[in-house]
Amino acid sequence: MDDDAAVIYGLEFQARALTAQTAETDAIRFFVGTQSLRFDNQIHQIDFDDENNVINKNIFLHREGEIWDMKACTYDRNILATIYNTATSAKAEMRGMLWKVPEEFDTSLNDDNATVQSLQPLASLYSADHGDLKALMWHPSGDTQRLITLADNHILSWELDGPDARVSSATPLEGKGQPRFTTGAWNPHHNSSQIATANENAIRGWDLRSMKQTYCIESAHSQLVRGLDFNPNKQYYLASCGDDCKARFWDVRNCNEPVKVLADHSHWVWGVRYNNFHDQLVLTSSSDSRVILTNTSSISSEPFGHYDDEDEEEMCDKKEGLEDGVICTYEEHEDSVYAVEWSTADPWLFASLSYDGRLVINRVPRNIKYNILL
């Protein structure tokens, strides 16, 4: 079997929620959440055996409603958060819930005839005073149990105390026309004291200590901003993507113009993700049914690659071999690709999810991997 070949896993229902099991750094694991209107929804815990190119699965019920987003806990691999749509007597609402995942991956549940299990609910993240939940962010370092959610037009900070979760602070988003949040990302730098949020086509930075706005990119995209991600190695660099079919990269110290723009997709770009270790590798996913891996060395923490001495000629040679541009286009999907995530256990492997319930696991091409490592 070709080690570089994609591995495909099909879900029974439509899906758009994908997350890596963030606190698990030994096994390659992802969670996928379904979005069915007619049946009980499910959470699939995916374990990838990279030696045999085989997927194993555990399936858990999620009766609360359609799963729109998921985020694995950064400090405990056995905690998972979902954002879901549930119908009450009055209306449909977007709520959040924390779940307890079993301690060990149970391979016996991989049998298609095995009983689907239920997850243990830990705490509700719903606040009736602040409207629908739009996004959820765990503290990036995992050193604390702090959790932040974005409601319609409030940033909510939560305190987790055993089975209970309560709102400790709420900061409103002010502006004309009742602006509403769409997504957000927690900055892993500056002692994790900053976040970025998106509303319509604007991006805003916030200092969590004062809950004051630190910067604003008013027209970051010409249409709705769909995704944000901070560079893990360069503290002022932020990536965004949106309905203008582009991914843009920003130095938040000077927000007048993006430092780089990618325009390789032909429809809305839903996700942008920096590689967790090699920030020159960036993934984007789109409604054009494609996932694109791009080299952004010119704005990365390693613009010249790895080098052992200060020989200028050698540095120039290496720079010529690391030109920016599309590395690979992955076309295994046939529907909108709503999510893409890097593995936290293998820096050269990632998963993508399309609306038709197709999960695809792919790898960085070997020649690119060796070029970076050597």
Side-chain angles (χ1 to χ4, degrees):
M1 181 179 291
D2 183 359
D3 287 343
D4 286 338
V7 178
I8 299 175
Y9 174 78
L11 287 82
E12 183 179 358
F13 307 130
Q14 294 170 325
R16 66 190 301 152
L18 168 69
T19 184
Q21 191 171 17
T22 312
E24 173 59 76
T25 56
D26 294 327
I28 301 170
R29 293 209 179 117
F30 298 92
F31 291 103
V32 184
T34 67
Q35 198 173 56
S36 171
L37 285 171
R38 298 177 56 193
F39 303 98
D40 285 338
N41 282 281
Q42 301 172 346
I43 295 173
H44 291 232
Q45 185 183 24
I46 303 298
D47 181 278
F48 181 63
D49 179 353
D50 59 336
E51 292 186 2
N52 299 303
N53 251 25
V54 172
I55 283 178
N56 297 302
K57 66 179 184 296
N58 287 341
I59 303 177
F60 307 99
L61 287 178
H62 187 278
R63 292 191 174 94
E64 281 65 21
E66 309 167 87
I67 303 172
W68 282 75
D69 197 10
M70 308 174 72
K71 289 291 186 296
C73 179
T74 53
Y75 64 84
D76 187 334
R77 68 176 186 172
N78 303 119
I79 296 179
L80 176 69
T82 60
I83 297 176
Y84 59 91
N85 188 24
T86 185
T88 65
S89 57
K91 59 179 180 178
E93 295 178 330
M94 296 291 289
R95 299 187 176 189
M97 182 74 75
L98 300 184
W99 303 92
K100 180 72 172 179
V101 181
E103 289 284 342
E104 299 298 330
F105 188 90
D106 189 349
T107 56
S108 68
L109 298 179
N110 197 53
D111 187 340
D112 289 337
N113 295 319
T115 303
V116 178
Q117 304 294 301
S118 295
L119 293 177
Q120 175 188 348
L122 293 179
S124 171
L125 298 175
Y126 175 67
S127 174
D129 295 333
H130 300 102
D132 287 344
L133 190 62
K134 296 299 180 66
L136 179 148
M137 296 167 273
W138 293 98
H139 192 282
S141 71
D143 293 335
T144 174
Q145 296 184 7
R146 191 173 184 185
L147 178 67
I148 288 176
T149 63
L150 302 180
D152 277 338
N153 54 8
H154 280 81
I155 301 172
L156 306 180
S157 182
W158 295 79
E159 287 188 6
L160 305 181
D161 184 15
D164 298 320
R166 66 179 184 84
V167 175
S168 59
S169 67
T171 303
L173 173 63
E174 298 176 350
K176 298 179 180 179
Q178 296 182 329
R180 297 175 183 270
F181 289 116
T182 54
T183 189
W186 202 322
N187 190 341
H189 307 289
H190 311 292
N191 295 319
S192 301
S193 62
Q194 300 177 7
I195 64 171
T197 64
N199 62 286
E200 298 299 332
N201 64 341
I203 298 173
R204 303 173 191 274
W206 303 81
D207 189 321
L208 295 176
R209 294 163 296 188
S210 63
M211 293 313 299
K212 300 295 185 182
Q213 187 174 298
T214 56
Y215 58 85
C216 181
I217 312 173
E218 286 288 357
S219 298
H221 290 259
S222 61
Q223 298 182 50
L224 188 70
V225 178
R226 294 284 182 181
L228 299 171
D229 196 29
F230 281 97
N231 186 313
N233 300 332
K234 295 190 73 173
Q235 59 181 337
Y236 296 107
Y237 278 63
L238 170 69
S240 62
C241 62
D243 284 0
D244 58 0
C245 312
K246 294 179 174 62
R248 299 175 186 265
F249 299 82
W250 308 90
D251 182 338
V252 298
R253 294 169 297 183
N254 182 3
C255 301
N256 294 327
E257 295 289 339
V259 295
K260 190 174 186 64
V261 178
L262 304 181
D264 302 306
H265 286 286
S266 59
H267 208 266
W268 303 341
V269 183
W270 284 86
V272 58
R273 288 290 182 270
Y274 279 104
N275 186 282
N276 299 318
F277 300 95
H278 308 286
D279 58 287
Q280 63 267 57
L281 300 177
V282 175
L283 289 167
T284 52
S285 62
S286 167
S287 298
D288 63 10
S289 305
R290 298 185 299 163
V291 174
I292 296 179
L293 175 64
T294 303
N295 179 13
T296 61
S297 287
S298 65
I299 58 170
S300 75
S301 60
E302 296 179 355
F304 299 105
H306 294 277
Y307 54 92
D308 298 324
D309 54 45
E310 296 299 324
D311 185 88
E312 184 176 354
E313 183 177 350
E314 182 180 351
M315 287 172 60
C316 291
D317 289 342
K318 288 181 179 291
K319 184 176 181 180
E320 290 177 358
L322 292 168
E323 293 182 357
D324 286 13
V326 173
I327 294 172
C328 191
T329 300
Y330 301 88
E331 299 183 331
E332 292 86 6
H333 292 284
E334 297 178 355
D335 206 339
S336 296
V337 187
Y338 283 132
V340 63
E341 295 287 347
W342 292 99
S343 166
T344 54
D346 184 340
W348 310 107
L349 184 143
F350 61 91
S352 54
L353 177 68
S354 52
Y355 189 57
D356 55 4
R358 179 176 296 186
L359 176 76
V360 180
I361 293 179
N362 261 306
R363 297 177 175 88
V364 174
R366 274 190 257 186
N367 64 314
I368 301 299
K369 172 182 174 179
Y370 297 146
N371 183 283
I372 292 174
L373 291 176
L374 296 179

